[in-house]
Every structure is written in structure tokens, then in C-alpha cells.
């Protein structure tokens, strides 16, 4: 109350100064949560400028190691508290997810604190949307799976039983300790050990789901035919998929929204030009076009970035924006007819700000819906390209490549190689669609329950690859 | 209340003209490259609005009154003509000049559901014009918004509410506050109460009148509700098909309409007294397409007092009406959308749904005593139609039964001492004045 005479005119900062209690309590919690992972952030930031700085972090493999060896007496050495690698790994995974859930919950609490203590408006239209999402079970199912997938991608290095560098990229520079059959502590390179842990479809040449190999290494998802740990491969692959998916959907969403707003505001020739461009791109057979582009551009410098991941993201963005643009063009035209747009014109508002303030908020929801739905399509597309041997180049892990590699073992004991990535892709894509459904019902309660034409269009678009 | 306003504004009226509209035309071109036949929404309009007065603009739906209002505040580009605002032609303005001028004239929109952005708080909505024009400091802008909320009868604590939380009448008050934020001199009110409950309409109208007193505003009040217009307007312009048909003092015009169209329009107001013997002029048909307005007077196709050619001066009014309806039917048929099959059938000389002219003729002329000098012309026209040449039929009938009304666009005639003007050939000395003439349909 002390800052200005009229408390209603204070900025957010001033409002917090007036009543710091709830904000401070929330901030303290946030700092505590951040401190647990600060080491990882420092490592990442310093890693950008050279070798990363190592600091103790709660969720690191150094704190809870799962790699060790078993003495002939059956005691585990070098693992976390002497537990078996499976249990140590399980604890670490559980910890990662608990941490992520607590962080998310804390952010949600932060929003509630803001809503309760610092927001002037008692009610905003967004409150209703959130309330509707709270009662939407199918959307929540999607959100949970998507959350799990995103956390898997974010914490990939901490989640895997081993690291990508150790087992996939540079296996002959690292070693594992084990007791050989003579009861002596022996030492062998990871590459050598991998050869002994191969999954080749025969009972004596297979490391399946939740099994140990003969060097005492635990493989939650089994191993690849080359003997590399598949969970590590999958977690790193999730990162690649998510990077490509988010980047390309972000780019195409931005292009789609800009074009939709411009065409709806100016109409006429601008609209015609974009319609022709968009329809021309949409009329191309997308998968073939994407394959053509990724082959043609394979030798350029851009294909070298992130093992071709950046190139793929750009290609998917360039070919995918017309689908999103088509989806939001209608709503944009509808909004452009509202009288508040005329009102803005009548007092001389700049077109750019009119689009941003008076039109964009109304199409953003639709964009979110269609983006989350076509994200699944892109994940399938990237996997499809890797399956065909295009796309993300080896050794960078990609789910589609695992399916490809495991193809010939589907009917054997090594079925897990194709099956697990396949099931995960189905699950993630379904989840993104469910989340999209949920968001749509939240922003537009009238469409509730109906399988909109939107999802069909997206399915058609995503099914291209 | 309204009496008081009128007297006050009369005092100011002697001052100056605020808005002067000369030969204004606004055409909507669909941008068709092959067949560019624009909609002539406003087709040559002249009038002026005095400072401090309320000019009503009435007419049926689609007559171009909203387009006229939007053109005056430069939401639409004028095709031709000029709008002089305080001496400056605003149709020529652009860029910064236009933006600065926009402070002077604002608009209150028809539909309060659609005129407010639901994702912004009321405070943000009313503040936006102030932000756009960099009005004073942010602190003062917020104070101004609270002041405006108070002025339009809302509470200052509504600042942080959303439009969803208000009723239609309250939303319209928010719209009015937004229009007033920049202290404009001229406000276009586009049917501001037509979307509201009757009980709320009066409140909003009173608010508008109070605001006019307080801030010396000039209104252009667009409406189709004639009783509202009579209540609030000093002068009224009656529009039909993009043209102003009559323009004059409200009371005088309501008491004694001069133009045939005004006459028919006003006769549609229900009379509260059931015993009153009131003649009601029912207009037949619909207005012509604004893409293709009649060549002469815009009202010629429906006018119940149309001037007859001299040689048909004496025929029976019922027969004359039948002839007019016959022409109307042919015109309407020209407007009908024809499918490709129908066009093909027509070219091949086959029977189409448009060719049953005999039925129409029987229906129109069957019960009437048609003298042979009329019958022969009707038959020639019918023959043209049967040969699928409706254009020739229309031309023929226009030549034979057409008059000055079909041929020449009438000019504005001053019809009273107060300077009322009316757009009708009957004000010419050769013809009977409209208010002395009994419509054909009434005889």
C-alpha cells in the first residue's frame, strides 16, 4: 500500500513488495529445487565454451552409479550402496521423475500463488480453459505420456544405464571391470564387452528386457544386435526426435501464424499468393519430397549439424507449414471480421499490433492443437526416414533406426529391438494427439467430444511419412 | 430531455458545418478480373452535419447506411467524392495525418458482443486508443479510463474485469467509453441499441444524449428503428439503395413526409391508437440489386406514386400496378442465378423453369379488363420472353410504359421552409406533389 496512493496501479514487482510472503515462500522452494540440479546447468553452460565444469548434482550418475561388478561371492562393488545395478538404476530413474514432477507441481503452485495474491482480475477467460483441461481425462492421459517423453529426452544422459559416449560413440576408449571365470578381476573394453552382449535372435546370443549381460551390466530394454544398450539408445533417440519435432513445429507454426494473420488482415492479393504457394507445397507428395530434399542436401554444411537433425527439422518445417496454415486460416478470417478489429482501425492502431493483440490470441489455441497433433506426424516421419536409412545419420541414435535394425529379429527371442521403439512411437504419437484433443476442448468447449475434421487432416498430413 | 438538446444544438447550428459530404460514392469491388461489377453501396450522397447536432440515418437493411457511416470515419475508402471535416478532405489523408485525424471521429458499433476483444480487460480495452495516440503519461491514462468508466455509468473497479462478465448494455457502455477516450468531436453510432433489450435501449439512448450535452458531441445516428430516431435525432436522412431520398428536420418529416419512399417507410410505424384510420403503404417486392441499380430514380421499381407516361395517364390503377408487377417479375428473373444446365437448356430452346410466362400473365392480367392498346404491348413482351430474350422484353416494356422516373435520376428539391430536401421527380412543377398524390395501391 505504501508504494503508490492507488494500490490498483502498481506493477507486479510493486505488488510483490507490498505482500512479499507468498512470493518469497514460493521462490525459496524454486531455488531449492534449482540448487539440486544447478550442477547440470553449470555443466551445460560451461560446456558451451569448452570442457564442462563438473559439480555434484543430485540426479547424476556419479552420485548414484549403477555400473559395477559382482564378486564371485555375489556382492556388488562400485554400485550405489552396493545395490544391484538394476536397483541402483531404478532409484535414479525414479528420482529423476520425482524431481520433474515436483518441479512441475511447484510451477503450477507458482501460478496459483500469482492468481490468488497478485493478480487484479478475479477471473480471466484462461481460468475457464484450465478448469476444463482439469476435467479432461483423455487429454490428461496425453499430457502424462508427453511429460514422461519430454523428461526422458531432457534427462537422457542421467537416465540411461550407461552413456552414449561409452557404449555407442567410443566404445573402445572405455573399459569395464568384471570377474572372469577364474575368479580374477579382469578388465575389458566396452566394445569388446558389447560383442559378448549381442542380441542376435538366438537364445544363447540374446540380452533381453531387464536382463544382465555376462559382464554384469544391466540392460532395461535389452541390447541392440551390436550389443549396445538399448535404453541408452532410446533415451538419446528421444532427444533427437524431440529436438527435430519441436524445432520444425515451432518454425512451421510461426510461419503459419504469420501468414494466417497477414492474409486475414489484408486479404486480396496477399491471400491469393499465400494460397497458391501453400497449396503448391501441399500438393507435393510429402514423403517423397522430404526424401528428395534430404538426399540432395546431404552433402551441404547444414547436413553436418546435429547429424542431419537440423536439416530434417528445416525440411519438415518448410513442407509442413501449409498444413498448419490451412488449419488456422479459417479462424483467422473469422476473427478478422470481428468489430473490435474495425474499432482498432478506427482509432489508428498499427496493423502489426492489431494482429498481435486482437487476432493472434484467438488463433494461438488452434495452432497449439494442430501443432501437438502434427508433432506426432513429424516424429513418425523422422523415424520413417531413419528406417529407410535416410535422415539422422548413424551413430546418433534415432528410434526409426532401431526398428530397422531389429526387423529381421521380430520373430525371434530378440523381438524387443523393433518392438519397444515401435510401441513407444505409437504411444508418444497417440499422446500428442490426445493432448491436442484436450487443448482443443479446453479452448473451444463447443467442439467437445466430436472428432473434428482437424484431427483427420492432421492424421492425413502426418501419415505422409 | 430531447427537447432541451434540440434547442441547445439549434444555437450551435448557426455556427458551422462540421462534416460536409459531397458526391460521396463507396463501391465494393470483389476484385473479379473478368466481370468487375461493383456493389454500389453508397452511390452519390450529399449532405452536411452541423456541429453539435444529431443526424439520423435511416433506411432498410442493405441500403448502405452502415457503409456510409464507415466511410465517414475512413474505415472504408471512398470511391469518389469528398468528406470535408472542418474543411479538410479526409478521404485524401493518409499515414500520420490520417492517424492524427482519427482522434476527431470515432464509432460505436452495433454488436456489443463483437466489438470488444474478450481476451482483454475492460481497462485495457478503453485504454488502447490512449496508448495508440501516446496520450499523456501511463498514470494519467489509467486515471482517464476510470473517469470514463464513471462517465458511462460503470464502476472504476470494473477496470480489471473481462467483457464476459458484463451484460449487453454494460458492454455497449464500455464501447461508448472507448469511443470517447480520445475526446472526439464526431461520433458515428452504428445502430448502437438495436442489439439490446428494449428496457436497456432507453438507458443507453439517455446516456448518449447526456454525453452529447456534456461534451458537445456531434452524432451520426444510424438506425432502422424509426421511433428511436424520432426520439434522439435533430435531422434525419432517409436512405434507399445508396442514395439519400429525403433529408430534413425530424419532427417535420415524421409529421409530413414529402418523398414517396419516406412516406411508405413512415407508414410502417405501428399506430398505438387502434381506432386511428391510417393508410398503410405496403411496398411490393425487394429493393433492386445494388450491383445493378435502376437507371433513373433508385426507387422507381417499387414506387407506389410513380409518374405514368402521358398516354397511360387514364388507365385503371389496378391495371397499372399489374403492368408494374409484370416488369418487376421480368427484372427479378434477370437477377435469378441460372445454373449451367438451365443456360444450356435456354440456348437449345428447351423448356426451363423461367419460360412459363403465360402463367404469370394470366395471374396478373386475368381478372382485369385490359384494353387492346395495353394488351398488344404485353403480348409483344411475352413473345420475347418465350423466345428466351428477356432482355428485349424488358427494353420493350421500358420504352412503352417507362416515364421520367425510369429515365432520369431525380435531383434534390427543396420542399419546405426549413430547407428540407427530397429526391423525387414529382416535385417538378409538371407533376402532382407526392403528398397530394394517392398511391395506386391505395385506390
Amino acid at each position: 500500500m505504501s508504494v503508490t496512493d492507488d494500490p490498483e496501479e502498481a506493477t507486479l514487482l510493486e505488488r510483490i513488495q507490498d505482500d512479499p510472503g507468498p512470493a518469497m515462500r514460493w521462490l525459496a522452494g524454486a531455488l531449492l529445487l534449482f540448487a539440486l540440479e544447478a550442477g547440470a546447468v553449470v555443466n551445460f553452460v560451461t560446456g558451451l565454451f569448452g570442457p564442462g565444469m563438473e559439480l555434484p548434482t543430485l540426479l547424476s550418475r556419479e552420485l548414484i552409479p549403477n555400473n559395477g561388478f559382482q564378486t564371485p561371492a555375489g556382492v556388488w562393488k562400485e554400485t550405489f550402496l552396493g545395490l544391484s545395478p538394476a536397483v541402483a538404476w531404478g532409484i535414479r530413474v525414479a528420482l529423476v521423475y520425482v524431481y520433474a514432477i515436483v518441479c512441475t507441481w511447484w510451477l503450477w503452485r507458482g501460478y496459483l500463488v500469482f492468481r490468488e495474491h497478485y493478480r487484479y482480475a478475479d477471473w480471466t477467460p484462461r481460468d475457464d480453459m484450465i478448469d476444463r483441461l482439469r476435467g479432461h481425462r483423455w487429454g490428461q492421459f496425453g499430457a502424462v505420456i508427453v511429460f514422461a517423453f519430454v523428461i526422458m529426452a531432457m534427462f537422457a544422459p542421467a537416465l540411461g544405464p550407461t552413456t552414449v559416449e561409452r557404449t555407442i560413440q567410443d566404445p573402445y576408449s572405455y573399459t569395464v571391470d568384471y570377474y572372469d571365470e577364474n575368479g580374477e578381476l579382469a578388465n575389458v573394453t566396452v566394445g569388446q564387452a558389447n560383442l559378448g552382449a549381442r542380441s542376435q535372435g538366438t537364445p544363447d546370443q540374446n540380452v533381453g528386457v531387464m536382463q544382465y549381460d555376462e559382464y554384469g551390466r544391466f540392460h532395461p530394454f535389452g541390447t541392440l544386435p551390436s550389443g549396445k544398450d538399448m535404453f541408452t539408445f532410446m533415451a538419446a533417440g528421444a532427444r533427437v526426435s524431440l529436438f527435430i519435432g519441436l524445432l520444425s513445429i515451432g518454425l512451421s507454426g510461426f510461419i503459419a501464424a504469420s501468414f494466417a494473420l497477414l492474409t486475414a488482415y489484408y486479404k486480396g492479393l496477399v491471400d491469393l499468393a499465400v494460397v497458391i504457394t501453400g497449396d503448391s507445397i501441399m500438393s507435393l507428395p510429402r514423403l517423397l519430397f522430404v526424401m528428395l530434399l534430404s538426399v540432395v542436401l546431404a552433402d551441404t554444411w547444414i547436413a553436418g549439424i546435429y547429424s542431419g537433425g537440423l536439416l530434417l527439422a528445416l525440411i519438415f518445417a518448410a513442407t509442413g507449414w501449409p498444413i498448419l496454415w490451412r488449419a488456422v486460416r479459417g479462424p483467422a478470417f473469422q476473427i478478422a471480421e470481428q468489430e473490435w478489429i474495425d474499432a482498432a482501425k478506427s482509432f489508428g492502431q498499427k496493423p502489426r499490433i492489431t494482429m498481435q493483440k486482437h487476432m493472434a490470441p484467438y488463433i494461438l489455441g488452434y495452432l497449439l492443437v494442430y501443432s501437438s497433433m502434427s508433432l506426432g506426424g513429424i516424429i513418425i516421419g523422422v523415424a520413417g526416414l531413419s528406417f529407410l536409412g535416410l535422415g539422422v545419420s548413424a551413430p546418433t541414435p534415432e528410434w526409426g533406426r532401431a526398428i530397422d535394425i531389429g526387423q529381421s529379429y521380430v520373430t525371434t527371442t530378440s523381438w524387443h529391438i523393433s518392438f519397444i521403439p515401435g510401441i513407444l512411437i505409437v504411444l508418444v504419437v497417440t499422446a500428442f494427439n490426445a493432448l491436442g484433443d484436450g487443448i482443443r476442448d479446453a479452448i473451444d468447449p463447443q467442439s467437445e467430444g466430436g472428432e473434428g475434421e482437424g484431427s483427420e487432416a492432421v492424421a492425413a498430413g502426418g501419415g505422409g511419412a | 430531455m430531447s427537447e432541451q438538446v434540440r434547442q441547445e444544438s439549434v444555437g450551435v447550428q448557426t455556427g458551422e458545418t462540421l462534416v460536409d459530404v459531397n458526391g460521396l460514392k463507396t463501391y465494393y469491388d470483389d476484385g473479379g478480373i473478368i466481370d468487375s461489377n461493383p456493389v454500389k453501396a453508397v452511390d452519390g450522397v450529399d449532405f452536411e452535419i452541423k456541429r453539435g447536432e444529431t443526424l439520423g440515418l435511416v433506411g432498410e437493411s442493405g441500403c448502405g447506411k452502415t457503409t456510409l457511416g464507415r466511410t465517414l470515419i475512413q474505415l472504408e475508402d471512398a470511391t469518389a467524392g469528398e468528406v470535408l471535416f472542418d474543411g479538410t478532405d479526409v478521404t485524401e489523408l493518409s499515414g500520420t495525418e490520417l492517424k492524427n485525424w482519427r482522434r476527431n471521429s470515432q464509432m460505436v458499433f452495433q454488436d456489443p458482443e463483437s466489438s470488444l476483444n474478450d481476451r482483454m480487460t475492460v481497462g485495457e480495452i478503453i485504454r488502447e486508443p490512449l496508448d495508440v495516440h501516446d496520450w499523456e503519461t501511463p498514470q494519467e491514462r489509467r486515471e482517464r479510463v476510470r473517469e470514463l468508466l464513471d462517465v458511462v455509468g460503470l464502476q472504476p473497479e470494473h477496470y480489471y474485469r473481462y467483457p464476459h462478465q458484463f451484460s449487453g448494455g454494460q458492454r455497449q457502455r464500455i464501447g461508448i467509453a472507448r469511443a470517447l477516450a480520445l475526446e472526439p468531436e464526431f461520433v458515428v453510432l452504428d445502430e448502437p441499441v438495436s442489439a439490446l433489450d428494449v428496457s436497456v435501449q432507453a438507458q443507453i439512448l439517455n446516456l448518449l444524449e447526456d454525453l452529447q450535452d456534456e461534451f458537445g458531441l456531434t452524432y451520426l445516428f444510424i438506425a432502422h428503428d424509426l421511433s428511436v430516431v424520432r426520439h434522439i435525432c435533430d435531422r434525419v436522412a432517409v436512405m434507399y439503395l445508396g442514395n439519400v431520398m429525403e433529408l430534413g428536420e425530424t419532427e417535420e418529416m415524421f409529421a409530413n413526409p414529402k418523398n414517396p419512399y419516406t412516406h411508405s417507410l413512415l407508414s410502417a410505424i405501428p399506430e398505438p391508437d387502434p381506432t386511428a384510420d391510417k393508410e398503410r403503404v405496403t411496398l411490393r417486392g425487394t429493393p433492386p440489386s445494388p450491383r445493378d441499380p435502376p437507371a433513373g430514380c433508385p426507387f422507381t421499381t417499387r414506387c407506389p406514386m410513380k409518374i405514368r407516361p402521358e398516354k397511360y395517364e387514364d388507365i385503371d390503377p389496378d391495371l397499372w400496378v399489374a403492368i408494374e408487377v409484370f416488369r418487376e417479375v421480368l427484372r427479378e428473373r434477370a437477377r435469378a442465378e441460372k445454373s449451367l444446365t438451365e443456360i444450356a437448356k435456354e440456348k437449345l430452346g428447351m423448356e426451363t423453369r423461367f419460360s412459363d410466362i403465360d402463367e404469370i400473365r394470366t395471374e396478373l392480367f386475368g381478372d382485369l379488363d385490359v384494353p387492346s392498346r395495353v394488351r398488344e404491348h404485353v403480348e409483344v413482351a411475352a413473345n420475347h420472353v418465350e423466345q428466351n430474350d428477356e432482355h428485349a422484353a424488358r427494353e420493350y416494356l421500358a420504352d412503352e410504359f417507362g416515364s421520367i422516373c425510369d429515365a432520369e435520376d431525380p435531383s434534390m428539391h427543396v420542399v419546405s421552409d426549413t430547407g428540407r430536401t427530397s429526391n423525387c421527380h414529382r416535385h417538378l412543377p409538371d407533376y402532382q406533389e407526392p403528398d397530394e398524390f394517392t398511391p395506386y395501391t391505395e385506390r
Side-chain angles (χ1 to χ4, degrees):
Chain A
M1 307 292 130
S2 57
V3 182
T4 50
D5 296 339
D6 189 348
E8 286 208 80
E9 288 175 9
T11 62
L12 179 62
L13 202 67
E14 287 165 341
R15 277 176 264 161
I16 289 177
Q17 279 169 358
D18 280 348
D19 179 20
M24 286 307 134
R25 279 194 290 278
W26 183 81
L27 201 64
L31 281 176
L32 183 74
L33 284 171
F34 177 75
L36 294 175
E37 271 299 276
V41 177
V42 171
N43 184 15
F44 178 75
V45 173
T46 52
L48 294 176
F49 308 102
M53 210 159 96
E54 294 294 339
L55 286 176
T57 312
L58 172 68
L59 304 170
S60 67
R61 35 192 340 107
E62 286 78 24
L63 198 69
I64 312 170
N66 69 317
N67 289 328
F69 50 88
Q70 198 174 21
T71 60
V75 179
W76 286 95
K77 297 274 183 189
E78 290 186 18
T79 61
F80 180 60
L81 302 175
L83 295 163
S84 71
V87 175
W89 174 80
I91 289 174
R92 201 166 69 225
V93 169
L95 221 54
V96 164
Y97 275 94
V98 167
Y99 177 77
I101 290 166
V102 170
C103 279
T104 314
W105 174 72
W106 200 252
L107 283 177
W108 168 246
R109 264 211 50 168
Y111 169 73
L112 290 183
V113 166
F114 167 72
R115 191 162 146 175
E116 206 176 315
H117 295 278
Y118 302 109
R119 195 175 71 184
Y120 285 146
D122 298 330
W123 173 90
T124 75
R126 278 171 291 279
D127 292 357
D128 279 4
M129 290 179 198
I130 288 168
D131 285 348
R132 280 193 290 267
L133 205 55
R134 276 171 131 172
H136 199 283
R137 293 278 167 260
W138 176 233
Q140 282 166 0
F141 158 78
V144 167
I145 306 280
V146 166
F147 177 77
F149 173 69
V150 170
I151 295 305
M152 184 173 179
M154 272 176 71
F155 288 88
L159 282 176
T162 178
T163 62
V164 173
E165 204 190 354
R166 268 176 75 95
T167 189
I168 294 171
Q169 280 176 342
D170 210 0
Y172 287 96
S173 303
Y174 296 90
T175 56
V176 276
D177 295 334
Y178 73 107
Y179 277 93
D180 61 14
E181 49 271 28
N182 306 326
E184 307 266 313
L185 189 62
N187 192 297
V188 66
T189 64
V190 173
Q192 204 73 45
N194 283 350
L195 287 178
R198 291 188 290 182
S199 293
Q200 297 281 14
T202 54
D204 52 335
Q205 271 282 335
N206 181 50
V207 181
V209 177
M210 303 299 260
Q211 283 180 5
Y212 289 91
D213 62 15
E214 53 189 85
Y215 299 96
R217 298 181 302 173
F218 177 65
H219 301 289
F221 282 181
T223 62
L224 290 166
S226 56
K228 293 166 181 174
D229 178 62
M230 200 156 103
F231 191 91
T232 312
F233 184 94
M234 292 298 292
R239 232 180 205 199
V240 176
S241 292
L242 195 68
F243 168 81
I244 296 175
L246 285 184
L247 182 63
S248 65
I249 214 72
L251 280 176
S252 41
F254 180 76
I255 298 171
S258 316
F259 277 149
L261 291 177
L262 282 172
T263 56
Y265 189 84
Y266 290 108
K267 303 188 176 74
L269 273 183
V270 188
D271 186 38
L272 192 68
V274 180
V275 166
I276 291 172
T277 319
D279 285 0
S280 313
I281 293 177
M282 282 218 277
S283 65
L284 295 168
R286 192 169 174 201
L287 180 62
L288 291 180
F289 188 56
V290 168
M291 282 164 64
L292 179 84
L293 278 180
S294 50
V295 170
V296 167
L297 298 172
D299 293 327
T300 56
W301 62 270
I302 203 167
I305 298 171
Y306 205 39
S307 310
L310 181 68
L311 177 67
L312 269 187
L314 293 180
I315 292 175
F316 274 102
T319 54
W321 69 261
I323 299 163
L324 287 181
W325 164 73
R326 270 283 179 206
V328 294
R329 180 175 176 266
F333 267 79
Q334 229 173 341
I335 294 304
E337 292 305 311
Q338 297 287 346
E339 279 179 343
W340 69 73
I341 307 290
D342 282 333
K345 272 182 207 168
S346 80
F347 51 69
Q349 184 63 280
K350 292 190 199 78
R352 190 178 60 81
I353 298 178
T354 305
M355 287 182 233
Q356 220 174 309
K357 230 168 133 178
H358 297 295
M359 293 165 72
Y362 290 86
I363 65 162
L364 216 61
Y366 292 93
L367 204 61
L368 216 58
V369 173
Y370 285 94
S371 296
S372 67
M373 287 179 169
S374 20
L375 195 60
I378 292 172
I379 291 174
I380 293 181
V382 174
L385 284 179
S386 308
F387 178 82
L388 295 171
L390 300 160
V392 180
S393 48
T396 303
E398 217 300 311
W399 292 7
R401 191 149 4 88
I403 300 180
D404 178 34
I405 294 169
Q407 247 192 116
S408 42
Y409 305 106
V410 170
T411 54
T412 68
T413 44
S414 302
W415 50 267
H416 61 268
I417 304 166
S418 278
F419 181 75
I420 289 174
I423 272 293
L424 283 187
I425 287 175
V426 170
L427 210 58
V428 167
V429 171
T430 311
F432 271 113
N433 279 306
L435 183 63
D437 262 352
I439 297 172
R440 187 194 52 210
D441 291 346
I443 58 168
D444 184 10
Q446 275 133 10
S447 72
E448 203 156 1
E451 274 294 307
E453 74 274 32
S455 51
E456 284 159 33
V458 172
Chain B
M1 172 73 230
S2 66
E3 199 53 39
Q4 182 199 348
V5 175
R6 200 162 296 125
Q7 277 165 4
E8 271 182 13
S9 56
V10 167
V12 195
Q13 254 182 45
T14 51
E16 52 190 313
T17 301
L18 183 66
V19 184
D20 189 2
V21 181
N22 292 318
L24 187 69
K25 292 181 180 178
T26 307
Y27 292 177
Y28 288 114
D29 205 336
D30 306 341
I33 301 158
I34 308 154
D35 179 23
S36 182
N37 186 14
V39 172
K40 301 176 176 71
V42 177
D43 200 8
V45 159
D46 304 85
F47 63 89
E48 47 189 50
I49 307 174
K50 302 268 190 287
R51 199 181 282 278
E53 79 167 339
T54 303
L55 177 67
L57 193 57
V58 296
E60 51 198 302
S61 306
C63 71
K65 40 187 204 302
T66 297
T67 306
L68 177 56
R70 289 169 60 93
T71 313
L72 290 194
I73 63 159
Q74 289 298 293
L75 275 180
E76 305 287 344
D77 289 327
T79 312
E82 53 179 14
V83 178
L84 297 176
F85 189 92
D86 240 354
T88 344
D89 184 3
V90 297
T91 59
E92 301 289 320
L93 295 179
S94 64
T96 321
E97 281 180 329
L98 179 61
K99 186 181 164 187
N100 288 336
W101 172 78
R102 284 192 185 285
R103 294 183 66 152
N104 295 324
S105 62
Q106 287 290 305
M107 186 156 178
V108 174
F109 292 88
Q110 177 178 3
D111 181 5
E113 291 300 315
S114 160
S115 64
L116 307 175
N117 184 347
D118 289 325
R119 307 279 169 107
M120 287 162 75
T121 62
V122 169
E124 287 168 334
I125 290 171
I126 302 175
R127 232 186 91 163
E128 200 185 355
L130 300 172
D131 291 337
V132 167
H133 288 272
D134 263 336
W135 197 87
E136 310 289 340
T137 64
Q139 179 78 27
E140 281 165 299
R141 284 177 213 164
R142 281 193 289 264
E143 265 158 36
R144 168 105 177 116
V145 172
R146 294 218 161 74
E147 202 181 288
L148 283 164
L149 283 170
D150 187 49
V151 163
V152 299
L154 295 170
Q155 307 299 316
E157 54 267 28
H158 289 156
Y159 193 102
Y160 291 104
R161 300 265 176 88
Y162 282 83
H164 271 309
Q165 294 162 296
F166 293 91
S167 69
Q170 286 173 313
R171 288 175 72 118
Q172 197 57 294
R173 285 173 195 266
I174 299 168
I176 293 170
R178 175 178 58 190
L180 294 182
L182 290 166
E183 302 176 311
E185 292 174 73
F186 177 53
V187 181
V188 173
L189 306 163
D190 184 7
E191 310 207 15
V193 295
S194 66
L196 305 176
D197 282 354
V198 180
S199 56
V200 184
Q201 285 189 356
Q203 293 171 14
I204 297 290
L205 289 174
N206 289 336
L207 171 69
L208 288 169
E209 286 188 326
D210 292 345
L211 293 172
Q212 187 172 39
D213 285 351
E214 201 173 334
F215 302 110
L217 298 168
T218 306
Y219 287 154
L220 177 71
F221 191 94
I222 301 170
H224 60 243
D225 185 337
L226 295 166
S227 53
V228 168
V229 168
R230 191 170 194 171
H231 176 71
I232 199 171
C233 298
D234 304 316
R235 290 192 304 146
V236 182
V238 179
M239 259 186 108
Y240 181 79
L241 206 66
N243 289 264
V244 171
M245 301 306 286
E246 187 168 1
L247 176 66
E249 305 272 324
T250 310
E251 276 313 316
E252 192 192 314
M253 191 192 290
F254 273 74
N256 179 19
K258 290 285 185 187
N259 190 285
Y261 179 63
T262 319
H263 189 81
S264 345
L265 197 65
L266 294 186
S267 80
I269 302 176
E271 187 69 54
D273 178 7
T275 57
D277 184 23
K278 189 183 163 200
E279 53 169 330
R280 228 187 122 163
V281 184
T282 315
L283 292 182
R284 56 160 201 275
T286 50
S289 160
R291 278 184 202 282
D292 188 20
C297 171
F299 193 46
T300 175
T301 61
R302 300 167 80 197
C303 184
M305 305 181 192
K306 192 172 162 183
I307 297 166
R308 285 193 265 188
E310 241 162 84
K311 54 177 169 173
Y312 295 110
E313 210 59 87
D314 53 334
I315 60 168
D316 181 54
D318 287 339
L319 177 58
W320 175 251
V321 171
I323 293 168
E324 283 293 298
V325 173
F326 187 58
R327 293 182 63 190
E328 168 106 24
V329 166
L330 292 184
R331 255 192 313 269
E332 286 293 321
R333 282 159 57 127
R335 273 173 73 183
E337 296 272 336
K338 287 179 185 170
S339 70
L340 276 178
T341 359
E342 274 158 0
I343 292 172
K345 274 183 179 171
E346 218 173 74
K347 297 267 185 234
L348 293 169
M350 287 162 70
E351 187 91 349
T352 69
R353 69 183 162 106
F354 296 103
S355 47
D356 50 349
I357 192 72
D358 278 331
E359 253 176 66
I360 296 165
R361 223 170 44 165
T362 320
E363 198 168 304
L364 289 175
F365 300 103
D367 302 339
L368 296 171
D369 176 26
V370 188
S372 60
R373 61 188 174 117
V374 173
R375 183 183 297 277
E376 65 178 294
H377 298 302
V378 171
E379 252 154 37
V380 172
N383 275 337
H384 280 304
V385 174
E386 263 162 22
Q387 283 151 22
N388 281 330
D389 195 356
E390 292 185 7
H391 182 70
R394 282 197 304 278
E395 293 280 298
Y396 183 83
L397 287 173
D399 278 350
E400 189 53 38
F401 297 107
S403 67
I404 183 170
C405 293
D406 295 275
E408 285 172 41
D409 197 2
S411 48
M412 278 293 193
H413 300 270
V414 177
V415 290
S416 82
D417 308 336
T418 52
R420 180 142 60 112
T421 50
S422 168
N423 193 14
C424 180
H425 286 301
R426 281 205 177 271
H427 301 306
L428 291 171
D430 300 349
Y431 307 103
Q432 207 176 3
E433 282 288 324
D435 49 347
E436 294 157 14
F437 187 85
T438 320
Y440 301 116
T441 45
E442 303 300 315
R443 295 190 212 169

